[in-house]
Amino acid sequence: MSEPLDTVVAIETPEHIVFHYRVAGPARRAFAHALDLLVCYGAVTLLSVLVFLVVAGTAFETGNIGSTAKAATGLVLVTLFAAQWLYFLVWEGATGRSPGKMAFGLRVVTTSGRPIGWRAAALRNLLRAADLLPIGYVVGLVSMTLSSRFQRLGDLVAGTMVVAPERARAARPLVLTPPAHPRELAMLPSHPSLDPEERAAIELFLRRRHTLGVARERELAEMIARPLGERLGVSHEDPSRLLALVYDRAVNTGREEAPRSWRPQPLAGDRGGAR
Amino acid sequence: MSLASTLTEKAFVERRRAEWEELDALTRAAASKGLRRLDTESIVRLPPLYRSVCADLAAAQAARYSAPLVDYLRGLTAAAHGVVYGPHAATREDRDRARLRHAWLVAFPRAVRRRKPEMLLATALFFVPLALGLALASRDPAFAFRVVPEAMLRPLAEAYAKGFEGGREAGEGALMAGFYVYNNVGIALRCFALGLFGGIGSAFYLVQNGLSIGAILGYVASQGAGANVGSFIVGHGSLELGAIVLAGGSGLSLGWSFVAPGDLPRLVSLQRRAREVLVIVGGASVMLLMAAAIEAFWSASSVASEVKLVVGATLFVLVLAYILLAGRSDDDAGDVPSKEEARR
């Protein structure tokens, strides 16, 4: 397996499983932030328009506008405060993502990969005031470029980072179509030795070949199929087909049954119907 | 390494898929509805499922199954990890009412006392310029204009000169309450946050606010409304000015933890101190909310200034006693670290 890129952070769970998070860069976060500002100040504007419509309505009836209008302004100022200091804090504290982050598929997690709590949410959003300096998040941007995980100052102090978790759908396993002809099977070695990189490259090619033109597909396949064929001692008039055959054999040689030691303990409450 | 001894990918997927899909459905439900709203059976099922999918991921990586399969399992593990190791364990305690009471009665005043040098420095940085501004502006009103714009000072002095016989009508009070929340709490929070740069931002805010408040008071006093402005400020002053000092002190403390981290790496020192003083910032914000209510509805009311004075003095003593004495009885028992701290 190749080394992950540096925008990827490895997280080791207590089960000693390592998985990776892609760290979100400044551009994506800026878009999410812009959306958040739009949502949050849009809500404030909407509320103030509504409040003043109500005030104007009641004033029309009672003829006394001063007092209610002032109270309404007070209310708007409180919502403005909430927009400035509480919007991000509450969203991220409760769900780990603000609506903008949600829309752009981002999430705030601790540097050890756990969801953040209220404290971290409060810290990273209070210190937003420092990142904002001197104008338009310049300090935050500098901090992000200097830190290894695109962390602004608030992230560094709160011990958080913004990631873009990806939920891959289970991909369909590659199926050899049409099924191998007995003549083709006979020529294949019983255990073709492919190293992991070769295997990954062939797999990638096979998954994408339908997006290529016929000539291009052949040209690309040729590049791997020829040396591979020579090494394994097989040849085929269609290099794509050769790759598919070798891949199929390499992936599907092995046991259909699990070795005994494979799962030491059965799962509690396991249906076990498959066995 | 012999590939021949491992389970084929197809057989592996066929065998394990049911559990993957079950875990996938559970994590999606937990993410959208919240873990709390899942039924007991699902919650009990989650950890063993998560562990077995972890094992599957390890097996898939070791057997070098195809990249999409490994990616899928990785994504599934990551999502489930977020649910299983979520903050619910900590927030369960945080939400506890006893914990909130603990924060108020013990943690907040104790945190202030633990950061005593910074708080004393913040007090000096705020009140020395305040006294200076007061003295200079009351002797020479022109000084006040150099600190605070004249256009703002003149109407202020006129307003205070009128006194509070008329009181403040409710609408005006609500407007001012909103303004105090927006302005004062904002200043306090900024005063804390900008302490991140070696405490310089906090120091600047403290001095600047102290000086301008002093200048305003001095100027208004020099225009002959000293008694009025005094009776106005005495009600909420202890809470409001105290909270600004506390927030500024937290900022100084934050900055200093970076400048002089002791045995810790600078970043770690900063992170720990930030967590430690966060409760002070929260407490200061609540104090400011209380001050805003008092300032808007009490300080400018038509209550006799003697009563305001007595109430203000009582409040001052209470606030001071609270900061100095609350939670002291079990001080020597040492702090019980919160769950989050213990985990670090």
Side-chain angles (χ1 to χ4, degrees):
Chain A
M1 209 173 299
S2 57
E3 277 296 300
L5 296 173
D6 62 353
T7 52
V8 166
V9 171
I11 303 291
E12 189 175 347
T13 73
E15 291 77 22
H16 299 294
I17 293 293
V18 177
F19 60 86
H20 298 91
Y21 270 136
R22 189 184 299 273
V23 185
R28 202 158 164 190
R29 286 175 67 173
F31 282 125
H33 189 70
L35 186 62
D36 272 324
L37 290 185
L38 208 68
V39 167
C40 153
Y41 285 98
V44 172
T45 315
L46 203 70
L47 184 90
S48 22
V49 167
L50 229 103
V51 162
F52 282 103
L53 279 181
V54 170
V55 167
T58 49
F60 188 69
E61 280 173 21
T62 60
N64 172 22
I65 193 160
S67 180
T68 353
K70 277 177 183 164
T73 314
L75 183 70
V76 169
L77 280 171
V78 171
T79 55
L80 211 57
F81 168 79
Q84 218 171 49
W85 295 100
L86 298 180
Y87 170 84
F88 284 101
L89 197 164
V90 170
W91 273 107
E92 290 180 5
T95 67
R97 51 211 324 206
S98 58
K101 291 193 175 70
M102 229 177 272
F104 282 85
L106 304 180
R107 176 180 289 281
V108 189
V109 294
T110 67
T111 45
S112 51
R114 292 207 193 91
I116 61 167
W118 284 95
R119 254 203 248 206
L123 273 179
R124 78 184 293 277
N125 287 310
L126 283 180
L127 293 174
R128 194 178 281 282
D131 282 304
L132 268 166
L133 289 177
I135 193 169
Y137 285 98
V138 169
V139 167
L141 208 62
V142 170
S143 164
M144 280 168 88
T145 52
L146 293 179
S147 83
S148 58
R149 288 180 279 222
F150 286 138
Q151 290 166 296
R152 59 178 177 83
L153 293 179
D155 283 321
L156 284 171
V157 174
T160 57
M161 58 184 178
V162 179
V163 296
E166 286 149 51
R167 287 292 291 269
R169 283 253 148 237
R172 220 169 272 280
L174 283 169
V175 180
L176 188 64
T177 44
H181 193 271
R183 189 165 43 83
E184 290 173 326
L185 284 178
M187 84 185 180
L188 282 174
S190 59
H191 293 299
S193 58
L194 293 180
D195 68 31
E197 269 135 43
E198 283 171 337
R199 210 181 121 147
I202 295 175
E203 183 179 330
L204 214 57
F205 170 75
L206 291 177
R207 285 193 186 276
R208 288 183 187 170
R209 64 175 167 164
H210 304 293
T211 64
L212 303 169
V214 180
R216 181 66 178 150
E217 178 191 339
R218 193 179 173 90
E219 186 188 349
L220 282 175
E222 197 86 46
M223 290 163 74
I224 326 175
R226 186 166 300 154
L228 193 71
E230 277 168 18
R231 201 180 77 208
L232 299 176
V234 290
S235 63
H236 199 285
E237 64 275 14
D238 181 0
S240 292
R241 179 74 180 165
L242 176 76
L243 291 180
L245 282 167
V246 170
Y247 177 82
D248 183 61
R249 176 56 64 89
V251 167
N252 291 326
T253 45
R255 318 187 187 191
E256 293 289 333
E257 266 312 303
R260 248 163 196 278
S261 61
W262 185 59
R263 183 174 300 284
Q265 284 171 335
L267 191 60
D270 198 1
R271 282 112 221 237
R275 265 153 235 195
Chain B
M1 183 196 72
S2 62
L3 260 143
S5 67
T6 51
L7 199 59
T8 62
E9 183 170 332
K10 219 160 91 192
F12 176 73
V13 171
E14 265 163 31
R15 175 159 309 167
R16 305 292 309 144
R17 170 158 271 176
E19 279 191 9
W20 299 342
E21 275 160 8
E22 192 183 351
L23 183 65
D24 187 68
L26 273 182
T27 49
R28 276 174 205 280
S32 64
K33 282 195 295 185
L35 198 60
R36 258 154 227 286
R37 255 164 259 157
L38 293 186
D39 54 286
T40 328
E41 202 183 314
S42 309
I43 292 178
V44 170
R45 187 99 181 105
L46 198 56
L49 267 179
Y50 166 67
R51 279 195 295 272
S52 82
V53 173
C54 278
D56 288 341
L57 172 59
Q61 280 171 329
R64 305 201 183 280
Y65 290 142
S66 66
L69 176 66
V70 173
D71 282 347
Y72 166 72
L73 287 176
R74 248 194 221 134
L76 186 57
T77 316
H81 174 267
V83 174
V84 173
Y85 291 97
H88 47 84
T91 47
R92 192 190 170 82
E93 227 177 303
D94 283 336
R95 277 185 202 159
D96 219 342
R97 228 170 255 179
R99 203 174 158 79
L100 201 65
R101 213 176 58 202
H102 175 86
W104 263 112
L105 293 183
V106 182
F108 170 45
R110 193 184 282 173
V112 173
R113 288 196 297 273
R114 199 186 302 141
R115 301 266 71 94
K116 196 167 159 195
E118 293 95 322
M119 293 303 160
L120 288 179
L121 180 62
T123 312
L125 282 175
F126 185 72
F127 282 105
V128 170
L130 192 148
L132 211 68
L134 183 66
L136 288 177
S138 54
R139 194 174 310 156
D140 172 23
F143 171 78
F145 298 147
R146 265 186 273 160
V147 183
V148 185
E150 188 174 350
M152 205 180 122
L153 278 173
R154 284 201 187 280
L156 218 56
E158 280 161 29
Y160 283 118
K162 259 189 265 168
F164 305 110
E165 268 80 59
R168 207 184 237 177
E169 48 123 3
E172 175 99 28
L175 166 66
M176 289 320 284
F179 174 74
Y180 296 141
V181 168
Y182 174 73
N183 189 57
N184 297 359
V185 185
I187 286 179
L189 295 181
R190 219 166 277 127
C191 188
F192 161 70
L194 301 190
L196 188 58
F197 308 109
I200 293 172
S202 303
F204 171 78
Y205 264 99
L206 284 169
V207 171
Q208 193 229 356
N209 276 294
L211 197 63
S212 45
I213 291 174
I216 293 172
L217 291 181
Y219 175 77
V220 174
S222 76
Q223 302 301 303
N228 279 344
V229 76
S231 76
F232 173 75
I233 208 169
V234 75
H236 58 265
S238 45
L239 280 172
E240 188 173 291
L241 306 185
I244 296 279
V245 166
L246 290 181
S250 314
L252 291 178
S253 179
L254 187 69
W256 189 244
S257 74
F258 184 76
V259 175
D263 296 335
L264 298 169
R266 279 178 211 282
L267 185 61
V268 175
S269 158
L270 199 60
Q271 288 173 339
R272 287 202 188 165
R273 184 63 58 83
R275 277 175 179 264
E276 186 189 324
V277 297
L278 186 61
V279 65
I280 307 182
V281 179
S285 309
V286 176
M287 278 169 74
L288 282 170
L289 292 183
M290 285 153 64
I294 297 176
E295 185 170 0
F297 297 109
W298 166 263
S299 297
S301 67
S302 54
V303 179
S305 58
E306 290 80 8
V307 181
K308 282 188 193 169
L309 209 67
V310 172
V311 170
T314 318
L315 207 57
F316 173 73
V317 172
L318 281 179
V319 169
L320 205 64
Y322 166 64
I323 294 293
L324 293 182
L325 301 176
R328 204 174 258 285
S329 58
D330 43 347
D331 249 8
D332 36 33
D335 257 22
V336 184
S338 75
K339 230 176 169 171
E340 258 174 284
E341 272 163 354
R343 246 188 303 179
R344 289 184 154 254

